[in-house]
Every structure is written in C-alpha cells, then in structure tokens.
Amino acid sequence: MEYRPVRQPRLADVITERLEAMMLEGSLSPGQKLPPERELAEQFGVSRPSLREAIQKLAARGLLTSRQGGGTYVSDRLNSRYDDPLLEMLSRHEEFHLDLLEFRDAMEGISAYYAALRSTPADRDKLRACFEALEHSYHHPAPEGSQEEARADASFHLAIAEAAHNVLVLHNIRGIFHLLEKSITANLAYLFDKPGNRDFLIRQHKQLLDAILEGRAEDARTCAHEHLVFVEENLLEMERADTRAQRAMRRAQGGISRPKG
C-alpha cells in the first residue's frame, strides 16, 4: 500500500485558522483593534513575517481591515447583524414580534442551559457585570425611556449566549441583536406601564443568573422559558385590550343616531 506523505501545515495558515477561530468564538469582536504586530507575534510565539502573512490573508477575505491612523481591526461586517432583507422587514413590522419571542424561547433556552454547564470564571464575571448594569438601568431609568434598559437587557442575554460556548447559537443571537434590542424596547414600554412588572422582571433575570452561576442547567433553561412566557402573556393581554378599545371606538363612530322627536 502506498501512503501519501504528511504535509506540515504552513505557519501562516495555522495563525490564520487561529485568528478565525477567535472571531467565531467571540474572543475577537467586530470593530476590535488587534494588538500591535510585535505583541501579537509574541503572544502566538511566531515570527512577524508569518503573522503579517496571516493578517494579509484575513484582510483579503474581508475579515480584517486597516484604518487611517494605524492599526488592524476586525471587520465591522462581522458585527451583530445579518445583512438580510427579511430581518430588516421584520424590524419594521411589529405584528411579528410574537414570532421573535418564540425564536428567542428556543435559542435562549439552549443558551442558558449550556451557559450553566460551560461558563468559565471570566464568563461568570461578565454575566454578573451585565446583570448589575441591567439592574441599575431598571432602578435608574434614563430620560430616553426604555431604550437604555433594552440595551442592557439585550446585552445580558447576549452574554449568556457567549457563555454557552456554542458558535452557531452565539452567531444566531448576534445576528438578530439589533432586532432583539428594538423588540425589547417595545416590550418594556408596554410592560413598565403595569405596576410591579419592573421588579418582577428583575427577579426573573436574577433567578436566571443564579441558575447559570450555580450550574443548574435545567433550571436555567426553565427560567429563560418562564421569562419569555411572562413577556408573551403580557403582550397578548395588551393586544386583546387594544382590540377591545378599537372595537368600542368603531362602534361609537359608526353608531346610528336616533331621530329626534
């Protein structure tokens, strides 16, 4: 039997694959500046020419860019959204927000489950920080209304997806982040009108955080599901109330006046 010789991979290709993996896992974020060439070469334990060749390859693929003033950055094209006309349409039509909640229920349940199993100390520190920012935004509402709370809320759920260490789940949630943030803004605007909801939502997020930090995977998935069920039920209740109000208004406007006398 004849065997083909095993070829040693080129060092530049190995570095290229490593940098791509860091982008996929979220270690390198869209728009993030890479360390200086000398520092990065030392971190990888490679020569600067090999590193430079890898960077050139990634730049040719549109994954890295050079900016005026110096420095190499991860391309903004990898930022937290897909270039998808469907998502753009969805963001303009509120009637599909329940579809988004169902999608979130599936994705965030998986995220919470695996975050409880796989989160690292660094992940858990970030989760705590994101929750503290969320809690602060709820207790100290910004002048622009629910937008700041929505941004903190979405960031907390994104941090859970990062802690799950599943590349496909992470990039699906990152891909709809702008849609998620807009949806949460609209949801909170309605939910905060109801007394007690603000404190209840904080408790739900805290229960989810605690389940993840304590490694209770099934409880974490249940907490994520119950949170989204609560949001959905409140939105459906609001829609039913709006429908009743619109019917009453149409009846009032279309009513037939009785003749006098």
Side-chain angles (χ1 to χ4, degrees):
M1 182 181 294
E2 190 176 330
Y3 294 96
R4 283 191 257 175
V6 177
R7 294 184 179 178
Q8 196 73 11
R10 297 180 66 251
L11 188 54
D13 293 334
V14 174
I15 301 168
T16 300
E17 290 180 6
R18 179 61 188 137
L19 287 170
E20 284 183 335
M22 292 173 72
M23 293 178 203
L24 285 169
E25 71 187 17
S27 300
L28 289 175
S29 305
Q32 181 177 339
K33 184 178 180 179
L34 265 61
E37 190 176 278
R38 178 182 298 175
E39 182 181 332
L40 196 56
E42 289 177 357
Q43 288 180 10
F44 282 128
V46 298
S47 67
R48 292 175 69 179
S50 295
L51 175 66
R52 195 174 299 122
E53 184 181 347
I55 289 174
Q56 289 171 351
K57 284 187 175 186
L58 292 171
R61 296 175 187 174
L63 300 175
L64 294 177
T65 59
S66 297
R67 294 185 185 176
Q68 191 173 2
T72 301
Y73 295 78
V74 179
S75 174
D76 287 327
R77 290 172 54 194
L78 300 178
N79 68 8
S80 54
R81 63 181 294 170
Y82 294 138
D83 186 16
D84 187 341
L86 176 60
L87 289 182
E88 291 298 326
M89 285 192 292
L90 285 173
S91 69
R92 295 191 296 270
H93 292 269
E94 293 185 2
E95 63 265 33
F96 298 109
H97 62 267
L98 293 179
D99 293 49
L100 178 58
L101 283 174
E102 289 177 359
F103 178 80
R104 286 183 61 192
D105 193 2
M107 288 293 100
E108 293 183 26
I110 294 172
S111 295
Y113 180 88
Y114 285 115
L117 294 177
R118 300 172 177 170
S119 58
T120 66
D123 292 326
R124 293 191 283 275
D125 287 343
K126 183 172 182 178
L127 285 169
R128 291 187 189 97
C130 285
F131 175 76
E132 288 172 6
L134 173 62
E135 189 174 32
H136 182 271
S137 72
Y138 271 39
H139 292 321
H140 303 86
E144 58 266 31
S146 57
Q147 186 173 354
E148 188 65 31
E149 291 103 319
R151 190 175 299 114
D153 195 315
S155 295
F156 175 71
H157 290 288
L158 180 59
I160 293 174
E162 291 173 348
H165 293 279
N166 182 298
V167 167
L168 290 177
V169 169
L170 173 60
H171 284 273
N172 269 286
I173 293 179
R174 274 187 170 170
I176 63 162
F177 188 83
H178 72 297
L179 189 59
L180 178 63
E181 191 174 326
K182 182 175 180 180
S183 171
I184 292 174
T185 301
N187 294 346
L188 294 182
Y190 294 123
L191 292 171
F192 287 167
D193 282 342
K194 193 171 182 180
N197 272 357
R198 191 181 291 268
D199 290 337
F200 187 77
L201 286 168
I202 280 293
R203 287 198 299 273
Q204 284 194 322
H205 283 91
K206 182 64 165 63
Q207 289 168 354
L208 173 57
L209 173 67
D210 288 344
I212 292 171
L213 296 181
E214 294 166 11
R216 295 183 281 112
E218 287 295 349
D219 288 345
R221 188 187 344 230
T222 299
C223 287
H225 172 67
E226 289 178 349
H227 167 59
L228 291 167
V229 167
F230 172 76
V231 173
E232 182 176 358
E233 287 177 347
N234 274 265
L235 293 179
L236 288 172
E237 180 184 334
M238 176 210 64
E239 287 183 353
R240 287 192 290 267
D242 284 349
T243 299
R244 288 193 293 269
Q246 290 170 11
R247 287 174 181 168
M249 186 177 296
R250 286 196 295 270
R251 284 196 297 268
Q253 292 173 346
I256 300 175
S257 299
R258 293 184 179 182
K260 296 180 179 179

